[in-house]
Amino acid sequence: MSELEIGALLFAVTFAVLFSGIPISFGLILVSIGFLYFFGDAGGLSLIPNTFVGELSNFALLTIPLFVLLGCTIGASRAGKDLYDSLHRWMCKIPGGLVIANILGCGLFAAMCGSSPATAAAIGRVGIPEMIRRNVSPRLATGAIAAGGTLGILIPPSLTFIIYGIVTHTSIARLFLAGVVPGLMLVAIFAAYAWGSSYRQLRNNPTQVIESYTLSEKMSGLIRILPFLAIIISVTVVMYGGFATPSEVAAIAAFLALVMVVVVYRTWRLTELWLIMREAVRESCMILMIVAGAAVYAYMMSYLYITQSLAEWMFSWNLGNWELILILNVFLLIAGFFLPAVSIILMSMPVILPVLVHSNIDLVWFAVMMTINLEIGLIHPPLGLNLFVIRGVAPEVPLRDVMMGALPFVGLMLFFIVLLAVFPGIATWLPVTLMGPA
Amino acid sequence: MQYFNRWVTRASTALAVIAAGLLLAATLIITWMVVKRGIGMQNSWELELSIELMIGAIFLSSPYTLATGGHVKMDLLDAILPECIKHKLAFIAKLAGCLICLYLGWEGLRMAQHAFVTGERALGIWQPLSWPKYATIPVGMFMTALQYVTSMHRELVSAPGKVNSKDETASSKDAPYCVRCDAQHKEVAACRN
Amino acid sequence: DTLKLTHQWPQGDGRDKGARHFVDEVVKHDPSFKFRIYPGASLISNPLKQIDALAGGSVDLSIFPLIYGVGKAPEFSITILPGAVNSVQDAMRLKGTDYEKRLQAVAEKQGFHILTWWWTEGGIADRVRPITTPDTVKGLKFRGADRTIDTMLKQAGASVFAMPSTELYNAMQTGVLDGLMTSYETFMSMRLYEQVKYATLGGDYTIFVVFQPLVMSTKAWNALTPAQKEIFERAADATLANFNAEQDKLKAEVVAKFKAAKVDVHQMTQAEYKQWLDLAKKTAWVDYASISPEAKGLLEAVEKLSK
Ligand code: NA
Ligand code: NA
């Protein structure tokens, strides 16, 4: 069988195995073992355990448990409820106000955290139950957080920009700056969608009670946000003041949240602490097991040369620039079905980069487009890491609903990719203005 | 078998408590590392130790995660398939999951044993020995496999077509959307076994 | 059967070019050999695990900086030991000597065979003050590279701590890190010149020289016939001139790039180098010799050649 035929078979088998109801991580390993057994050799099989563990021995990935702990600390204690009560008092007049607050929260969190699943986990853990409690439709609530969470890799700092910068010799500072405007625009687009969707729902259901609060009630709510503001400010100072790297900040934020919960909310009994910690280890285990399983799967695809053959095959067609951009985006979307963002960059850039350079395509602009495309991969099945994260933090919402909720956001992001293709300035304006032309 | 199930549940929970301790320790250590560096002192063991602790925490919490339904899966077919096929498929999926856990546990054991014999160390400034980190793999994955065994046993003894309320695949469809109630519910269910 | 070759660098990097040159040379003499190159960590995402891949037979060849194997064989530290060699040219003296034989023996024990004699240089860059002699690093926050270098820097009064390479750029930007010692390639690929003010590199002397050879798994190596082994060894030797020329070119490029970025570039003088060497001998060398009898033997081989 040729590599492309094996790839087609892999496509079918992966779907079948993952839909059987086996945990995602174990399913990915099962498929990898099977394909390396039938199409690879004993040598290929022997590195699976090392790939699995080697992937986890990475401090940047290990910030995920720390950010999850941050989310659980706020979410599993009274602190999260308080925060949303206060926000609710201010936002309840706007249709979808709380959803918009959550999307803004994702954007803010993305500015502290370089990973998308961590962003979705931290905000979703608190936000989704509170939104659903306040009659936001479960689809909108989970979809908004799944999509908002993907901004973690677009708004700096970003793990994928760092990897891309190293692989392509592009300035990481430039890439970070290029992600700012598109990130903010996506926040605005997501928020606008949440407003529109909630407005329609409200109009169809006019019996729904609209609460209202007096100014003093609003102000008293504001006081309860102060501890959170203190955390956000300290974390910003620690990170941008040169005291800690973005990864270290994860631990500091989690630590401060724990201190807040103990001091302000008096959660100091061991049983209460256990409620927080057990959620944190459960979610971390789930996310990182999937990440490690996906690394094994990516290794298998690379060992059998499937990804590379697919990319080589697509670029053998000798296309013009616009066709090339279209094909690249299609390729990235397909790759996003099965592979995590970092693996896609590592495996495909050696093939794509020469083509980009040959066609004189701006690497910074392409990085932003690629990142948004990879973000879509995080919220579409079968391997959409953010979907699983949401599933983990809100187990009562069926996966179908989470996926349906994320679908409109996939559409919005695809639309934004087109916008970015037509107006490259959206990405390149800020870095060129601040750093001069490349 | 009742006794065995209870023992497995207790051991899984105990491992999760240890994992929670490791994660908490890693958080404190990294915070301490930043403070220490901020006041001009040398960092040495902090980063490497916290990495080892977090890797250990991930593997040790795996059985508890499975027991409480935390390992996410695609349950899209649940609504479409007829009851009897669904049960068979669920059983096969569990068997496959169990075999993968045995495989990972076995390979982890080999890695731990090899690292122990050769005295392998992690890279860095402090260079801790690698085997304690690797040793958490067999412990966590074999326990996850045992957790699968109890779950498959329950599947076999319960009549097909009936939803077993104690089972980790059972989702309380009519419960309100509330994460904390759900976790509590699962915790109680797990402890009852 | 296709031989798999992995490395962690992007296409077009000096080491990637070296690997392709090697492959061409082998195929020229024996067209029956087929190779597949996986650049940029596209097969093994954690480059440290290449040593396990070689031992387990997943890959046949790798470009493997031996210091990645220090956790398994601490003797490999000799390939970064400060002052053991002072430039790429200096490292050429060690080829074919007792040093190479001893190093090869350590490598074979770990399941791989060293093919090429590829050494690369690096330097020091920071954001506080020019680094000349050891006392100028006092109080600066440095990123650790290898235990031997860390020992020396600590003795000189620097604060040394571990940091993953993906964090370097941010850390330099925000000031978590004051400076670092790394290879020219890393300076270039991570564009660290954007975030530093001073650099000590590009001269005739440096205390940062690293061995990054192309290696072959012992399994695959032993499967070759004596005639094939000779083809591989000749191909490895044939790459050396180009590889070193590439390093010289890179050295000039790095200096130009740093200067263009308005970095104050200093080239280490012989007198300054002497001070670093004396410090290294008192600290890192003593530490290294105490690792094992093999380490002691390797260090003695270096000392014998330095006389
Ligand atoms: Na971010
Ligand atoms: Na996907």
Side-chain angles (χ1 to χ4, degrees):
Chain A
M1 276 172 101
S2 78
E3 275 97 3
L4 289 175
E5 285 161 352
I6 297 176
L9 184 64
L10 179 66
F11 192 88
V13 170
T14 305
F15 261 92
V17 168
L18 291 189
F19 279 99
S20 76
I22 191 171
I24 306 296
S25 166
F26 301 152
L28 290 170
I29 296 173
L30 183 67
V31 174
S32 307
I33 292 177
F35 271 75
L36 281 174
Y37 181 81
F38 286 110
F39 302 106
D41 48 33
L45 281 169
S46 74
L47 201 67
I48 289 180
N50 264 304
T51 308
F52 193 76
V53 185
E55 182 70 16
L56 295 178
S57 313
N58 174 344
F59 189 52
L61 273 181
L62 288 173
T63 57
I64 292 179
L66 298 170
F67 279 120
V68 167
L69 176 58
L70 168 64
C72 290
T73 306
I74 296 171
S77 70
R78 263 195 2 260
K81 211 173 137 289
D82 259 19
L83 174 67
Y84 278 85
D85 272 337
S86 320
L87 282 176
H88 182 69
R89 290 180 188 193
W90 286 85
M91 310 287 277
C92 60
K93 280 281 165 56
I94 311 164
L98 208 53
V99 186
I100 295 171
N102 268 286
I103 291 169
L104 293 178
C106 284
L108 195 65
F109 204 85
M112 302 194 291
C113 165
S115 136
S116 288
T119 307
I123 300 288
R125 144 78 40 205
V126 200
I128 292 175
E130 293 297 328
M131 280 193 281
I132 292 174
R133 221 163 54 84
R134 294 194 165 78
N135 295 324
V136 175
S137 86
R139 283 188 183 184
L140 179 61
T142 52
I145 299 280
T150 65
L151 297 171
I153 55 170
L154 183 62
I155 297 175
S158 150
L159 188 60
T160 52
F161 276 152
I162 292 174
I163 304 281
Y164 181 93
I166 293 169
V167 172
T168 63
H169 285 215
T170 314
S171 163
I172 296 166
R174 234 171 236 287
L175 293 172
F176 277 10
L177 284 175
V180 174
V181 176
L184 295 178
M185 282 178 76
L186 272 178
V187 167
I189 291 173
F190 291 170
Y193 170 78
W195 181 84
S197 163
S198 307
Y199 182 77
R200 216 177 44 217
Q201 202 192 351
L202 217 58
R203 213 178 40 191
N204 295 342
N205 183 13
T207 54
Q208 203 170 318
V209 193
I210 295 174
E211 298 163 75
S212 80
Y213 294 90
T214 63
L215 190 65
S216 71
E217 279 173 325
K218 284 181 181 172
M219 293 316 281
S220 79
L222 216 51
I223 292 169
R224 286 189 281 180
I225 299 185
L226 287 180
F228 294 95
L229 272 182
I231 292 183
I232 292 173
I233 291 169
S234 351
V235 161
T236 313
V237 168
V238 166
M239 183 156 81
Y240 291 99
F243 296 100
T245 66
S247 299
E248 291 161 355
V249 157
I252 295 169
F255 172 76
L256 289 177
L258 279 169
V259 169
M260 175 188 80
V261 162
V262 171
V263 174
V264 180
Y265 291 91
R266 316 229 166 253
T267 310
W268 45 266
R269 270 182 303 165
L270 276 179
T271 45
E272 288 173 307
L273 195 62
W274 167 237
L275 287 185
I276 295 173
M277 292 308 295
R278 71 162 190 213
E279 291 304 304
V281 292
R282 245 166 56 99
E283 254 157 61
S284 310
C285 174
M286 182 266 289
I287 298 174
L288 287 179
M289 284 281 198
I290 295 179
V291 168
V296 171
Y297 189 83
Y299 159 77
M300 177 269 296
M301 279 182 80
S302 196
Y303 196 88
L304 300 177
Y305 221 63
I306 296 170
T307 324
Q308 291 90 337
S309 302
L310 182 62
E312 279 169 8
W313 178 60
M314 283 182 159
F315 301 132
S316 62
W317 302 340
N318 273 323
L319 303 163
N321 270 14
W322 282 104
E323 293 159 312
L324 182 70
I325 292 296
L326 181 68
I327 285 293
L328 277 173
N329 275 298
V330 170
F331 168 78
L332 291 173
L333 268 183
I334 295 173
F337 268 74
F338 301 101
L339 295 169
V342 169
S343 304
I344 295 175
I345 298 177
L346 289 179
M347 274 194 279
S348 61
M349 279 323 279
V351 185
I352 296 179
L353 186 61
V355 183
L356 294 179
V357 173
H358 181 254
S359 311
N360 276 321
I361 289 171
D362 185 339
L363 289 180
V364 173
W365 169 67
F366 182 74
V368 175
M369 187 184 263
M370 180 174 198
T371 300
I372 298 171
N373 201 316
L374 297 180
E375 285 182 64
I376 295 176
L378 287 165
I379 55 171
H380 74 53
L383 190 68
L385 196 47
N386 274 20
L387 297 177
F388 305 141
V389 169
I390 300 295
R391 183 84 177 104
V393 298
E396 294 306 324
V397 184
L399 195 57
R400 255 187 321 281
D401 280 350
V402 182
M403 285 173 183
M404 291 308 287
L407 211 57
F409 292 93
V410 170
L412 291 174
M413 282 153 106
L414 282 174
F415 160 75
F416 193 74
I417 289 180
V418 175
L419 203 66
L420 194 64
V422 181
F423 304 105
I426 296 171
T428 53
W429 172 76
L430 190 64
V432 168
T433 310
L434 292 183
M435 296 178 71
Chain B
M1 202 63 197
Q2 271 290 313
Y3 178 78
F4 173 75
N5 286 358
R6 207 175 308 139
W7 181 83
V8 169
T9 306
R10 280 198 190 141
S12 298
T13 312
L15 288 182
V17 172
I18 296 172
L22 296 182
L23 180 59
L24 198 59
T27 310
L28 298 178
I29 288 170
I30 298 170
T31 307
W32 164 239
M33 173 174 92
V34 173
V35 171
K36 201 174 167 192
R37 201 169 59 210
I39 57 176
M41 284 163 74
Q42 291 269 2
N43 286 160
S44 50
W45 48 272
E46 292 87 352
L47 181 72
E48 284 132 70
L49 180 62
S50 53
I51 289 177
E52 309 286 302
L53 292 181
M54 283 193 279
I55 293 176
I58 290 160
F59 286 109
L60 292 184
S61 56
S62 172
Y64 179 79
T65 307
L66 184 74
T68 54
H71 280 306
V72 169
K73 47 199 160 207
M74 301 272 224
D75 39 17
L76 291 175
L77 297 181
D78 265 14
I80 310 164
L81 291 179
E83 218 39 43
C84 58
I85 295 179
K86 216 161 76 181
H87 266 269
K88 279 191 190 116
L89 192 63
F91 188 82
I92 293 170
K94 278 177 188 170
L95 188 64
C98 182
L99 289 175
I100 293 294
C101 290
L102 288 175
Y103 163 79
L104 288 174
W106 172 247
E107 292 291 339
L109 189 65
R110 279 184 22 179
M111 284 166 87
Q113 190 252 351
H114 183 260
F116 182 79
V117 171
T118 59
E120 186 184 329
R121 288 172 180 278
L123 292 192
I125 294 182
W126 182 54
Q127 303 194 334
L129 283 166
S130 296
W131 67 263
K133 168 179 69 184
Y134 290 147
T136 60
I137 306 173
V139 174
M141 297 324 286
F142 283 144
M143 266 316 291
T144 314
L146 286 183
Q147 197 71 58
Y148 262 124
V149 171
T150 65
S151 162
M152 283 187 291
H153 171 250
R154 256 178 276 141
E155 186 102 355
L156 283 181
V157 293
S158 76
K162 243 195 259 169
V163 176
N164 187 343
S165 69
K166 287 176 187 174
D167 192 47
E168 44 110 359
T169 53
S171 55
S172 32
K173 294 230 161 55
D174 43 8
Y177 288 132
C178 168
V179 179
R180 259 169 286 158
C181 320
D182 172 67
Q184 193 64 49
H185 168 83
K186 275 176 182 147
E187 175 81 351
V188 171
C191 292
R192 263 206 313 255
N193 291 332
Chain C
D1 213 35
T2 308
L3 295 173
K4 293 188 171 66
L5 191 161
T6 62
H7 65 73
Q8 72 200 84
W9 295 284
Q11 253 170 314
D13 178 279
R15 290 153 289 190
D16 178 67
K17 280 186 197 163
R20 285 169 205 280
H21 187 188
F22 171 84
V23 165
D24 290 344
E25 286 290 329
V26 171
V27 174
K28 204 162 74 189
H29 291 101
D30 188 344
S32 69
F33 279 108
K34 285 190 177 54
F35 294 87
R36 182 170 272 168
I37 299 177
Y38 292 88
S42 56
L43 181 61
I44 298 168
S45 58
N46 183 343
L48 303 187
K49 292 289 176 192
Q50 289 181 122
I51 190 169
D52 298 295
L54 289 162
S58 313
V59 302
D60 307 290
L61 298 124
S62 280
I63 304 177
F64 187 68
L66 294 196
I67 48 165
Y68 288 177
V70 163
K72 290 182 189 278
E75 290 83 7
F76 284 147
S77 273
I78 191 81
T79 61
I80 196 173
L81 187 70
V85 290
N86 60 36
S87 64
V88 168
Q89 274 317 308
D90 192 37
M92 293 305 115
R93 291 182 304 122
L94 302 173
K95 188 168 169 20
T97 64
D98 190 35
Y99 173 90
E100 186 187 346
K101 272 194 220 96
R102 285 168 183 270
L103 197 60
Q104 190 71 274
V106 179
E108 297 272 7
K109 236 194 227 168
Q110 296 300 323
F112 63 89
H113 177 89
I114 299 167
L115 282 171
T116 64
W117 203 245
W118 294 347
W119 289 75
T120 57
E121 277 179 31
I124 312 170
D126 77 307
R127 21 181 289 148
V128 180
R129 63 177 95 96
I131 304 297
T132 51
T133 51
D135 51 301
T136 52
V137 300
K138 200 170 217 150
L140 298 186
K141 290 175 283 179
F142 261 77
R143 184 230 190 186
D146 179 77
R147 208 170 182 163
T148 56
I149 290 189
D150 300 345
T151 313
M152 181 184 73
L153 285 175
K154 272 187 191 170
Q155 199 62 44
S159 166
V160 182
F161 54 91
M163 177 170 290
S165 63
T166 45
E167 305 252 290
L168 286 183
Y169 190 91
N170 273 91
M172 290 298 287
Q173 189 171 32
T174 56
V176 173
L177 206 60
D178 291 323
L180 78 169
M181 239 187 236
T182 190
S183 65
Y184 293 150
E185 273 97 357
T186 307
F187 279 129
M188 292 294 264
S189 66
M190 297 205 170
R191 296 186 164 240
L192 290 167
Y193 45 80
E194 292 175 353
Q195 301 298 346
V196 300
K197 293 202 182 75
Y198 306 95
T200 304
L201 42 78
D204 294 333
Y205 296 91
T206 178
I207 46 168
F208 194 94
V209 190
V210 184
F211 186 39
Q212 315 197 7
L214 180 67
V215 305
M216 188 164 189
S217 81
T218 318
K219 229 184 247 172
W221 175 250
N222 290 339
L224 300 177
T225 64
Q228 289 171 328
K229 281 184 182 170
E230 208 186 313
I231 292 176
F232 273 58
E233 272 169 351
R234 276 219 207 117
D237 286 343
T239 61
L240 197 53
N242 274 354
F243 188 87
N244 287 351
E246 193 76 32
Q247 293 302 308
D248 283 341
K249 213 173 84 192
L250 178 67
K251 198 172 182 170
E253 270 172 28
V254 168
V255 174
K257 201 82 194 185
F258 272 76
K259 282 186 174 158
K262 305 212 166 50
V263 177
D264 182 353
V265 180
H266 168 76
Q267 305 199 331
M268 189 175 276
T269 65
Q270 192 179 5
E272 287 161 12
Y273 175 76
K274 179 79 184 12
Q275 285 200 38
W276 283 102
L277 182 61
D278 288 343
L279 176 66
K281 280 186 175 168
K282 268 188 289 183
T283 53
W285 290 35
V286 180
D287 257 24
Y288 180 76
S290 69
I291 290 174
S292 68
E294 284 89 354
K296 198 152 186 268
L298 273 159
L299 191 61
E300 276 164 7
V302 168
E303 281 172 327
K304 207 164 65 193
L305 285 160
S306 307
K307 272 173 196 156

